Amino acid sequence: MKKLIAIDLDGTTLNQESKITDKTAKTLHRAIADGHSVVIATGRPYRMSKNFYHDLQLTTPMINFNGALVHLPGKKWADEQEASINRRIVFEMLAEKKNLKLDFIAAENRDTFFIDDLKFFDQHFFASDFATSDNLLTVNTLRTNPTSILLRSQPENVVGVSDELKQQFGTEVEVNTWGGPNPILEVVAKGIQKAHGLKRVIKSLNVKQEDVLAFGDEHNDVDMLKFAGWGVAMANGTDQLKAVANDITEKPNTEDGLADYLTKYLDL
């Protein structure tokens, strides 16, 4: 039976340098050539993941912002969906920034971003060559409800910040860790998870839930792995994710664990 392979990026498909190795790319291409489908499901915004979509030459829908944006890149798609957060929450977080021990707060949508302190702008992180005063997060620049809020703290503070945000705003938003090397928290609308986006994709593509093969490494992948017919946690994944997974890769993302697992599981 042909599978829909849902892949997280950071800590799963990407290596320690945030790249897709030749081995992983070739393995995914072999899977597609054999009739399987590959769908990216990531916490990253589209502008920070579209290069991987194009490098893999995908034509399937894509899930960004942990399910808040489900779209078919570069094309109109009847099943496209984008969930937003009330902008009021952004400014309430800004007021609490010092108490929350945050380095920066950024509000994002599909095409652009706003950050409260331009000294934290990083070309790679925000997938942009430059930032101007137009990108400064203020009441005057953020005029619409964002799709996602990104928060950076120090690694030792992330868990505490997450707990505090859930206590203050938990009735309106979901709080997830981003995965990978950055101590980033992503905030999306309440009820939005990768599984939410995946349900929309398989319905559009007429794929059965039991034929979904999903890979992840962080707690924002828990619902996706539980939803999938077969959920696989990376060897480098969190204990929380491994506890709900059907299986665990033998190798971590730094050793092409995804590629090795697919090769054996799909008999490529």
Side-chain angles (χ1 to χ4, degrees), residues 23 27 30 213 215 247-251 256-268:
K23 179 177 179 178
T27 300
R30 284 207 309 273
L213 171 61
F215 292 84
D247 205 357
I248 301 171
T249 63
E250 293 181 2
K251 297 179 180 180
D256 293 300
L258 170 69
D260 282 357
Y261 192 95
L262 279 176
T263 299
K264 296 173 183 177
Y265 187 85
L266 300 177
D267 192 26
L268 297 177

Side-chain angles (χ1 to χ4, degrees), residues 4 37 39 60-61 77 79 200-207:
L4 186 148
S37 300
V39 170
T60 49
W77 184 44
D79 292 316
R200 197 166 189 85
V201 170
I202 68 170
K203 181 178 180 181
S204 178
L205 299 183
N206 196 28
V207 174

Side-chain angles (χ1 to χ4, degrees), residues 20-94:
I20 299 178
T21 66
D22 288 342
K23 179 177 179 178
T24 293
K26 289 177 180 178
T27 300
L28 291 170
H29 286 149
R30 284 207 309 273
I32 294 170
D34 278 3
H36 305 287
S37 300
V38 173
V39 170
I40 291 175
T42 179
R44 291 186 177 216
Y46 176 57
R47 68 176 186 280
M48 287 189 64
S49 51
K50 62 182 179 181
N51 56 316
F52 303 118
Y53 183 90
H54 294 304
D55 288 347
L56 292 174
Q57 300 176 326
L58 300 182
T59 58
T60 49
M62 188 175 188
I63 299 168
N64 289 106
F65 296 119
N66 282 319
L69 174 62
V70 187
H71 61 126
L72 189 60
K75 297 181 181 179
K76 291 185 177 181
W77 184 44
D79 292 316
E80 178 174 314
Q81 186 178 61
E82 188 165 5
S84 61
I85 305 166
N86 192 313
R87 63 195 284 269
R88 165 189 57 81
I89 295 177
V90 177
F91 299 115
E92 288 183 8
M93 289 182 178
L94 268 173

Side-chain angles (χ1 to χ4, degrees), residues 3 15 67 69 93 97 190 195 229:
K3 299 293 183 181
N15 63 9
L69 174 62
M93 289 182 178
K97 179 182 177 181
K190 188 69 176 178

